[in-house]
């Protein structure tokens, strides 16, 4: 059964929508006596198996993500590893539809960042193509993520409720964007003055008397990682307090089975998607913000579907009563989906937690493509083609963006492009450039993505790397502020999960990971063109508007002076590629070594 047809739209809505998804997860405990152990059969008794499919951090990746962004690591029984190419909504749709077959009680949910930082085929059209794809996927509900706010709260309301873009208009003649068929939940995003949630705080899914409540929240720190202009007047509240508050609201409505959709996550000890994060060995398990959250969210919540960190895990973390509770995340970009079986007790109207089972499944590319998704992608690609296919540069090999490396070849290339673009006196007079690692969204891949030929970088590929179109700035920082900036990479808000800025050529320093906090930066090693940074001297530094506003926990950058705004980061990136590469002399991947890491 598909979702209920869309009701009349309002700015805030709570709908009870039917669902249609499922898969079989690995049982972590025996089912209670009388529970159904088969798909679609025996669900008329006391116990009903409800299948929850979930995913997170799609980021508009309609086409299969390329290079390292489209690969998963699998650990074999003998400890060796292999990589698997995964993702693409044509394949995701097929996997989900196959998983639904034979399941009478099934619901699908997402944990935010469905849109934002998207490749050109979606991002060029303000992510309308992705919302259309999610509607076709029969997504029932999603929490908001921080990237849902990339274009501000007003644009998020349009994404939810429909209507043509206020400046770009309607993208297809005779067609008006209908918005999301599923509710976006934003329980902890409230109006500062009224205290009312921006969007619905919860959603009740119901099928034949079986009710499950979903509470959706984004990370409390969203305001620090999105543009301040678009979220003026909004408050991002504590995740635990908000979930617990609406758990009580749902209980008063007679809903005792509850799932939290939370755009915050953790980091398992292994990067393999099939790692057992419940393994008891030393150094095993999962760390990060989700651990403390899970340990403090009300025991009445039966499962937590999480995201944000782009990691893969299906763990159990004890709730405040000490009872194991499933906590899941399906990596990113549609490479995985999670299958969780929730055994519902009709008598108590609650989930039998001893029978909760979860497993992550690979969205392999060895299945038939969903034809409706292929048609959708082809339609939008045709609209984007005149822009997307234009060559902007040439590379001699993959220029990678490895998630686990402090310094990344592609990060160096982007920082160099920003320095070159902002260095002329009339452009800002920059002496160095700093680039936030989260703004580099995909690698540059040598293999052709279309008919352009190997080694050709198209505008669409460059857009996928730098999709935010942040305006660049050149600002004054003292040497002391510059050193504090480096220290804030590994301390304060970034201590648990360091955010190592990518730096332009000539700027060097040592990062000592044997130490903790700000001490990880060896201050005497910080140099510009071989000369030690003088704390009392003023330097001109290029960075995007996001960083200049203190984004990603770099509060000291808000203290800058004499700001000059330049071109967009994407314009500088494509301009650099054009200036430094030709078909006969392609650009080589830049060397690393600007940041010396001591382990």
């Amino acid at each position: 059964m598909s979702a209920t047809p869309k009701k009349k739209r309002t700015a805030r809505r709570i709908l009870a929508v039917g669902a249609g998804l499922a898969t079989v997860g690995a049982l972590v405990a025996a089912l209670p006596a009388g529970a159904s152990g088969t798909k679609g059969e025996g669900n008329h008794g006391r116990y009903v198996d409800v299948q929850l499919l979930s995913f997170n951090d799609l980021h508009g990746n309609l086409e299969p993500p390329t290079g390292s962004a489209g690969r998963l690591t699998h650990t074999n029984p003998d400890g060796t590893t292999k990589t698997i190419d995964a993702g693409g909504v044509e394949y995701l749709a097929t996997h989900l539809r196959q998983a639904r077959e034979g399941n009478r009680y099934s619901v699908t949910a997402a944990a935010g960042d469905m849109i934002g930082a998207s490749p050109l085929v979606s991002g060029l059209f303000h992510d309308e193509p992705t919302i259309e794809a999610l509607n076709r996927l029969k997504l029932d509900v999603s929490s908001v993520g921080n990237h849902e706010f990339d274009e501000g709260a007003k644009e998020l309301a349009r994404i939810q409720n429909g209507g043509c873009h206020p400046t770009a208009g309607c993208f297809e003649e005779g067609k008006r964007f209908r918005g999301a068929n599923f509710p976006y939940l934003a329980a902890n995003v409230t109006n500062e003055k009224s205290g009312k949630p921006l969007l619905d705080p919860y959603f009740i899914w119901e099928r034949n008397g079986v009710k499950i409540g979903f509470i959706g929240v984004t990370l409390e720190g969203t305001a620090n990682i999105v543009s301040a202009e678009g979220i003026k007047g909004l408050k991002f509240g504590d995740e635990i307090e908000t979930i617990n508050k609406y758990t009580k609201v749902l209980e008063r409505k007679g809903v005792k089975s509850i799932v939290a959709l939370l755009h915050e996550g953790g980091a398992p000890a292994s990067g393999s998607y099939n790692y057992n994060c419940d393994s008891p060995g030393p150094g095993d398990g999962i760390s990060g913000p989700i651990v403390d959250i899970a340990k403090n969210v009300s025991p009445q919540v039966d499962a937590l579907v999480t995201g944000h960190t782009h990691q893969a895990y299906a763990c159990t973390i004890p709730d405040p009563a000490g009872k194991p509770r499933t906590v899941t995340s399906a990596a990113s970009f549609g490479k995985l989906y999670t299958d969780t079986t929730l055994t519902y007790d009709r008598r108590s109207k609650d989930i039998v937690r001893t029978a909760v089972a979860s497993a992550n499944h690979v969205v392999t590319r060895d299945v038939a493509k969903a034809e409706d998704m292929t048609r959708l992608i082809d339609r939008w690609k045709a609209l984007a083609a005149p822009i997307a296919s234009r060559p902007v540069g040439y590379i001699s090999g993959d220029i990678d963006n490895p998630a686990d490396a402090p310094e990344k070849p592609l990060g160096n290339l982007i920082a160099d492009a920003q320095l070159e673009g902002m260095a002329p006196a009339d452009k800002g007079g920059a002496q160095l450039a700093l680039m936030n690692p989260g703004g580099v969204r995909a690698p540059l891949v040598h293999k052709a993505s279309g008919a352009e030929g190997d080694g050709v970088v198209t505008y669409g590929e460059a857009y996928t790397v730098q999709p935010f179109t942040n305006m660049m700035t050149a600002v004054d920082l003292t040497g002391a502020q510059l050193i504090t900036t480096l220290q804030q990479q590994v301390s304060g808000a970034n201590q648990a999960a360091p955010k190592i800025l990518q730096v332009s050529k000539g700027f060097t320093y040592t990062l000592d990971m044997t130490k903790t906090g700000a001490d990880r930066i060896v201050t005497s090693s910080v140099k510009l063109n071989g000369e030690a940074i003088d704390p009392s001297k003023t330097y001109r530094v290029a960075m995007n508007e996001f960083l200049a506003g203190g984004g990603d926990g770099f509060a000291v950058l808000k203290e800058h002076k004499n700001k000059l705004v330049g071109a967009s980061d994407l314009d500088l990136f494509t301009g650099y590629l054009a200036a430094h590469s030709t078909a006969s002399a392609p650009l080589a991947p830049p060397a690393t070594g600007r940041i010396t890491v001591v382990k």
Side-chain angles (χ1 to χ4, degrees), residues 202-226:
Y202 61 87
F203 164 81
I204 301 171
W205 176 85
E206 184 174 3
R207 177 76 58 80
N208 298 331
V210 175
K211 294 182 180 181
I212 298 178
F214 290 86
I215 301 167
V217 300
T218 188
L219 71 156
E220 184 180 6
T222 292
N224 296 323
I225 53 176
V226 300

Side-chain angles (χ1 to χ4, degrees), residues 80-121:
T80 59
T81 62
K82 64 178 181 180
T83 59
I84 302 172
D85 291 333
V89 295
E90 295 159 294
Y91 303 109
L92 177 62
T94 297
H95 280 278
L96 292 179
R97 290 164 183 172
Q98 289 176 349
R100 295 171 185 164
E101 293 175 3
N103 289 277
R104 298 184 60 205
Y105 294 85
S106 182
V107 59
T108 200
D113 279 7
M114 294 295 97
I115 59 174
S118 304
L120 183 136
V121 73

Side-chain angles (χ1 to χ4, degrees), residues 68-83:
S68 57
R71 298 190 191 110
L72 292 167
T73 299
H74 176 95
T75 298
N76 300 313
D78 63 0
T80 59
T81 62
K82 64 178 181 180
T83 59

Side-chain angles (χ1 to χ4, degrees), residues 14 27 46 52 77 79-80 135 150 179 204 209 216 234 310 361 381 461 467 471 480 488 511 526 546 593:
I14 298 176
L27 287 176
R46 174 175 173 180
L52 167 64
T80 59
N135 289 342
D150 280 350
I204 301 171
L234 294 181
H310 291 201
H361 298 269
K381 282 181 70 175
E461 291 166 339
M471 301 309 293
Q488 287 181 348
L511 179 66
V526 184
F546 171 69

Side-chain angles (χ1 to χ4, degrees), residues 113 144-150 152-153 188-190 192 198 217-239 263-264 308 493-494 499 545-555 558:
D113 279 7
V144 294
N146 54 285
H147 282 282
E148 265 78 19
F149 292 93
D150 280 350
N188 68 330
V189 186
T190 57
E192 284 182 336
L198 175 71
V217 300
T218 188
L219 71 156
E220 184 180 6
T222 292
N224 296 323
I225 53 176
V226 300
S227 174
E229 185 65 28
I231 57 168
K232 276 185 177 178
L234 294 181
K235 178 182 178 182
F236 293 81
D238 181 88
E239 305 98 332
H263 193 70
E264 178 61 288
H308 187 56
N494 294 327
K499 290 187 174 69
E545 286 268 29
F546 171 69
L547 276 179
D552 269 353
F554 292 97
K558 291 190 289 187

Side-chain angles (χ1 to χ4, degrees), residues 12 76 79 123 149 170 185 216-217 227 253 261 276 289 298 304 327-328 362 408 459 485 561 592:
R12 289 171 38 74
N76 300 313
F149 292 93
C170 296
L185 305 182
V217 300
S227 174
K253 290 180 173 288
L261 305 176
N276 177 12
S298 168
L304 280 76
V327 179
T328 68
V362 179
K408 312 169 196 295
Y459 183 84
T485 299
K561 295 181 179 179
T592 54

